[in-house]
PDB file of all heavy atoms in Angstrom:
ATOM      1  N   GLY N 438      30.539  12.074  -5.785  1.00 97.00           N
ATOM      2  CA  GLY N 438      31.747  12.179  -6.599  1.00 97.00           C
ATOM      3  C   GLY N 438      33.002  12.406  -5.777  1.00 97.00           C
ATOM      4  O   GLY N 438      34.105  12.010  -6.185  1.00 97.00           O
ATOM      5  N   ALA N 439      32.858  13.027  -4.595  1.00 97.00           N
ATOM      6  CA  ALA N 439      34.015  13.283  -3.740  1.00 97.00           C
ATOM      7  C   ALA N 439      34.679  11.988  -3.294  1.00 97.00           C
ATOM      8  O   ALA N 439      35.898  11.953  -3.077  1.00 97.00           O
ATOM      9  CB  ALA N 439      33.591  14.104  -2.525  1.00 97.00           C
ATOM     10  N   ILE N 440      33.887  10.931  -3.163  1.00 97.00           N
ATOM     11  CA  ILE N 440      34.440   9.635  -2.745  1.00 97.00           C
ATOM     12  C   ILE N 440      35.445   9.138  -3.775  1.00 97.00           C
ATOM     13  O   ILE N 440      36.570   8.750  -3.435  1.00 97.00           O
ATOM     14  CB  ILE N 440      33.315   8.597  -2.579  1.00 97.00           C
ATOM     15  CG1 ILE N 440      32.328   9.039  -1.499  1.00 97.00           C
ATOM     16  CG2 ILE N 440      33.900   7.219  -2.270  1.00 97.00           C
ATOM     17  CD1 ILE N 440      31.072   8.192  -1.449  1.00 97.00           C
ATOM     18  N   TRP N 441      35.055   9.175  -5.028  1.00 97.00           N
ATOM     19  CA  TRP N 441      35.887   8.564  -6.077  1.00 97.00           C
ATOM     20  C   TRP N 441      37.057   9.450  -6.444  1.00 97.00           C
ATOM     21  O   TRP N 441      38.103   8.963  -6.874  1.00 97.00           O
ATOM     22  CB  TRP N 441      35.000   8.178  -7.261  1.00 97.00           C
ATOM     23  CG  TRP N 441      33.882   7.322  -6.727  1.00 97.00           C
ATOM     24  CD1 TRP N 441      32.559   7.628  -6.661  1.00 97.00           C
ATOM     25  CD2 TRP N 441      34.037   6.073  -6.062  1.00 97.00           C
ATOM     26  NE1 TRP N 441      31.868   6.639  -6.020  1.00 97.00           N
ATOM     27  CE2 TRP N 441      32.745   5.664  -5.636  1.00 97.00           C
ATOM     28  CE3 TRP N 441      35.128   5.243  -5.781  1.00 97.00           C
ATOM     29  CZ2 TRP N 441      32.540   4.472  -4.959  1.00 97.00           C
ATOM     30  CZ3 TRP N 441      34.916   4.053  -5.097  1.00 97.00           C
ATOM     31  CH2 TRP N 441      33.640   3.682  -4.692  1.00 97.00           C
ATOM     32  N   LYS N 442      36.923  10.766  -6.227  1.00 97.00           N
ATOM     33  CA  LYS N 442      38.088  11.642  -6.352  1.00 97.00           C
ATOM     34  C   LYS N 442      39.113  11.300  -5.275  1.00 97.00           C
ATOM     35  O   LYS N 442      40.323  11.243  -5.535  1.00 97.00           O
ATOM     36  CB  LYS N 442      37.663  13.109  -6.240  1.00 97.00           C
ATOM     37  CG  LYS N 442      36.856  13.626  -7.416  1.00 97.00           C
ATOM     38  CD  LYS N 442      36.443  15.076  -7.178  1.00 97.00           C
ATOM     39  CE  LYS N 442      35.592  15.610  -8.315  1.00 97.00           C
ATOM     40  NZ  LYS N 442      35.138  17.002  -8.072  1.00 97.00           N
ATOM     41  N   ALA N 443      38.628  11.053  -4.060  1.00 97.00           N
ATOM     42  CA  ALA N 443      39.533  10.715  -2.957  1.00 97.00           C
ATOM     43  C   ALA N 443      40.194   9.362  -3.180  1.00 97.00           C
ATOM     44  O   ALA N 443      41.387   9.189  -2.904  1.00 97.00           O
ATOM     45  CB  ALA N 443      38.763  10.717  -1.632  1.00 97.00           C
ATOM     46  N   VAL N 444      39.424   8.395  -3.685  1.00 97.00           N
ATOM     47  CA  VAL N 444      39.979   7.065  -3.963  1.00 97.00           C
ATOM     48  C   VAL N 444      41.087   7.159  -5.008  1.00 97.00           C
ATOM     49  O   VAL N 444      42.175   6.594  -4.845  1.00 97.00           O
ATOM     50  CB  VAL N 444      38.868   6.100  -4.428  1.00 97.00           C
ATOM     51  CG1 VAL N 444      39.459   4.821  -5.020  1.00 97.00           C
ATOM     52  CG2 VAL N 444      37.939   5.758  -3.261  1.00 97.00           C
ATOM     53  N   ALA N 445      40.826   7.893  -6.092  1.00 96.00           N
ATOM     54  CA  ALA N 445      41.828   8.035  -7.155  1.00 96.00           C
ATOM     55  C   ALA N 445      43.060   8.777  -6.659  1.00 96.00           C
ATOM     56  O   ALA N 445      44.196   8.427  -6.993  1.00 96.00           O
ATOM     57  CB  ALA N 445      41.220   8.757  -8.357  1.00 96.00           C
ATOM     58  N   GLU N 446      42.842   9.813  -5.852  1.00 96.00           N
ATOM     59  CA  GLU N 446      43.952  10.606  -5.333  1.00 96.00           C
ATOM     60  C   GLU N 446      44.793   9.804  -4.341  1.00 96.00           C
ATOM     61  O   GLU N 446      46.028   9.870  -4.348  1.00 96.00           O
ATOM     62  CB  GLU N 446      43.409  11.872  -4.650  1.00 96.00           C
ATOM     63  CG  GLU N 446      44.461  12.759  -4.011  1.00 96.00           C
ATOM     64  CD  GLU N 446      45.392  13.414  -5.019  1.00 96.00           C
ATOM     65  OE1 GLU N 446      44.978  13.574  -6.192  1.00 96.00           O
ATOM     66  OE2 GLU N 446      46.528  13.764  -4.631  1.00 96.00           O
ATOM     67  N   ARG N 447      44.119   9.031  -3.513  1.00 96.00           N
ATOM     68  CA  ARG N 447      44.815   8.321  -2.430  1.00 96.00           C
ATOM     69  C   ARG N 447      45.560   7.087  -2.921  1.00 96.00           C
ATOM     70  O   ARG N 447      46.657   6.785  -2.427  1.00 96.00           O
ATOM     71  CB  ARG N 447      43.770   7.900  -1.380  1.00 96.00           C
ATOM     72  CG  ARG N 447      44.327   7.131  -0.181  1.00 96.00           C
ATOM     73  CD  ARG N 447      45.047   8.051   0.767  1.00 96.00           C
ATOM     74  NE  ARG N 447      45.451   7.371   1.981  1.00 96.00           N
ATOM     75  CZ  ARG N 447      46.553   6.640   2.125  1.00 96.00           C
ATOM     76  NH1 ARG N 447      47.377   6.512   1.099  1.00 96.00           N
ATOM     77  NH2 ARG N 447      46.848   6.059   3.270  1.00 96.00           N
ATOM     78  N   PHE N 448      45.000   6.370  -3.879  1.00 95.00           N
ATOM     79  CA  PHE N 448      45.516   5.038  -4.188  1.00 95.00           C
ATOM     80  C   PHE N 448      46.164   4.883  -5.565  1.00 95.00           C
ATOM     81  O   PHE N 448      46.839   3.891  -5.812  1.00 95.00           O
ATOM     82  CB  PHE N 448      44.394   3.994  -4.063  1.00 95.00           C
ATOM     83  CG  PHE N 448      43.718   4.002  -2.725  1.00 95.00           C
ATOM     84  CD1 PHE N 448      42.346   4.102  -2.624  1.00 95.00           C
ATOM     85  CD2 PHE N 448      44.460   3.925  -1.562  1.00 95.00           C
ATOM     86  CE1 PHE N 448      41.717   4.120  -1.390  1.00 95.00           C
ATOM     87  CE2 PHE N 448      43.843   3.930  -0.318  1.00 95.00           C
ATOM     88  CZ  PHE N 448      42.462   4.032  -0.235  1.00 95.00           C
ATOM     89  N   ILE N 449      45.922   5.845  -6.463  1.00 94.00           N
ATOM     90  CA  ILE N 449      46.436   5.676  -7.824  1.00 94.00           C
ATOM     91  C   ILE N 449      47.442   6.783  -8.128  1.00 94.00           C
ATOM     92  O   ILE N 449      47.061   7.963  -8.192  1.00 94.00           O
ATOM     93  CB  ILE N 449      45.294   5.693  -8.863  1.00 94.00           C
ATOM     94  CG1 ILE N 449      44.242   4.653  -8.505  1.00 94.00           C
ATOM     95  CG2 ILE N 449      45.842   5.411 -10.262  1.00 94.00           C
ATOM     96  CD1 ILE N 449      43.018   4.686  -9.402  1.00 94.00           C
TER      97      ILE N 449
END
Side-chain angles (χ1 to χ4, degrees):
I440 299 170
W441 306 112
K442 290 178 182 178
V444 167
E446 177 67 24
R447 179 75 173 83
F448 305 127
I449 306 175

